[in-house]
Amino acid sequence: MTKPNIFTELRNARVERILSTKQSRILTAPWTRRTLSIVAIVSSYVVMATLLIPTPYTISKTNRVYPDYDLMEKVWFYGFRDITQGIAIFLAIWSFIVLRMSMRRVTLLPDEYLDELQITNRNWAYRSGYLVVRRIGLAVTALFAFLATVGNQLTGFLAGYGATPKFFRSLERYFSDLSMEDPFGFYFKSFLLLTFVAYSFPVILLAWREARFPELVPQPQSTKELTEKEKTAKFYFAALKLILISIAIFGSFVLSPKLFVVAGGLYFALIIPLLYLVIPGALLLFIWVSITVARDLIELRKTGYKSQEQKRWASIATAFLTVTLILGMAVGSSILGLFSGFASGIGYSSLVVPFAFIVGLLMIPTQAASVTFYAKLDGKSGL
């Protein structure tokens, strides 16, 4: 019998966490799922509509493109567009996150933990959802293929100045104006919307169909008393969940500058606990878990392994812990260099903060994986 690979064991650990977690009756209520589905659909359409409104711009003598702030201040519609877009992006992202939490049992558990109706609904939703997304992608591709061939012919010099060439030239100018002022931001939001639709539409279909049938809220599976390592892992994942939710809520308000202005009071009310509780708490959690896992792995290595399976889990946990500590040292060195540059007046590279942020994000899954296998050392339930 072949040993399961790392990804299979991580998936099994996630299944055990889901089975041992009590479901919320509010999140699984039919009205909740339908409300979240409607919010996700409406907000995605609103985001698409606001993206189709170009920002007025001016071109300087050095050919730099800037927003036309004078026109935008005179016309209230542009401010309304930006505020609406920020709120719509916020609602779209969080409606999908909460909807995934509501549907996590049906979407993430293997077939053996679901009844026949849930399996049928899930298969139908993903099959239909991906089919619709593929057809939408094909339709958009066909449209732009038409514009890239026939449209280019009708915008050329030899097309003349009739009504049809004028229409296609206006259309060409319109598509150019959409991304002229902020191409990176426009295409980021466009691809974000496409990704959102691809991931959310099957879940929305599943949630809507599941809402038609009453669902019993299963009780968590009864398990044996947790070992000390499993209790440590359980506390870690609960604390990590709170930290990620807090950071995500705070970050959602800075997705749009206009949304930042509108929700300024709430933003500053959130930044105080973020700076003085969440960030220090995340740092303490990282240090505490790293020391705890490293200490127990060293002690286990000294006393000897009870089985080959325990030795394998210890080796995997050690590997993920090592990667986590290397990433942590990279983040710490970047921050130390940043403050040292400020203190000495040398300045800092604009890449330091993005580098530290990206490396810090990579630390989360690596440390979570190390704790997952650490929890297995004294038992077979990977919290």
Side-chain angles (χ1 to χ4, degrees), residues 38-50:
I38 293 173
V39 171
I41 293 173
V42 173
S43 57
S44 62
Y45 274 108
V46 172
V47 172
M48 182 178 67
T50 56

Side-chain angles (χ1 to χ4, degrees), residues 160-221:
Y161 297 93
T164 301
K166 286 183 178 180
F167 169 78
F168 276 92
R169 289 185 184 119
S170 299
L171 189 63
E172 182 184 45
R173 178 61 183 269
Y174 167 75
F175 280 116
S176 176
D177 288 347
L178 284 177
S179 60
M180 178 65 73
E181 181 269 330
D182 182 19
F184 291 139
F186 173 80
Y187 286 109
F188 166 72
K189 293 175 183 177
S190 299
F191 289 123
L192 178 66
L193 180 61
L194 291 175
T195 304
F196 172 80
V197 172
Y199 277 90
S200 66
F201 192 61
V203 180
I204 291 172
L205 290 178
L206 177 60
W208 196 268
R209 174 164 283 199
E210 282 287 305
R212 296 167 52 190
F213 308 98
E215 179 179 352
L216 297 176
V217 179
Q219 295 297 321
Q221 287 187 352

Side-chain angles (χ1 to χ4, degrees), residues 7-25:
F7 298 104
T8 301
E9 290 180 341
L10 288 173
R11 184 173 64 250
N12 292 337
R14 181 180 63 180
V15 169
E16 292 173 5
R17 284 199 300 270
I18 295 174
L19 293 174
S20 62
T21 303
K22 185 178 180 180
Q23 276 191 294
S24 170
R25 293 186 179 273

Side-chain angles (χ1 to χ4, degrees), residues 252-274:
S252 299
F253 286 98
V254 295
L255 284 172
S256 168
K258 290 292 183 179
L259 182 60
F260 170 84
V261 173
V262 172
L266 183 59
Y267 177 87
F268 288 108
L270 290 172
I271 196 172
I272 295 176
L274 179 76

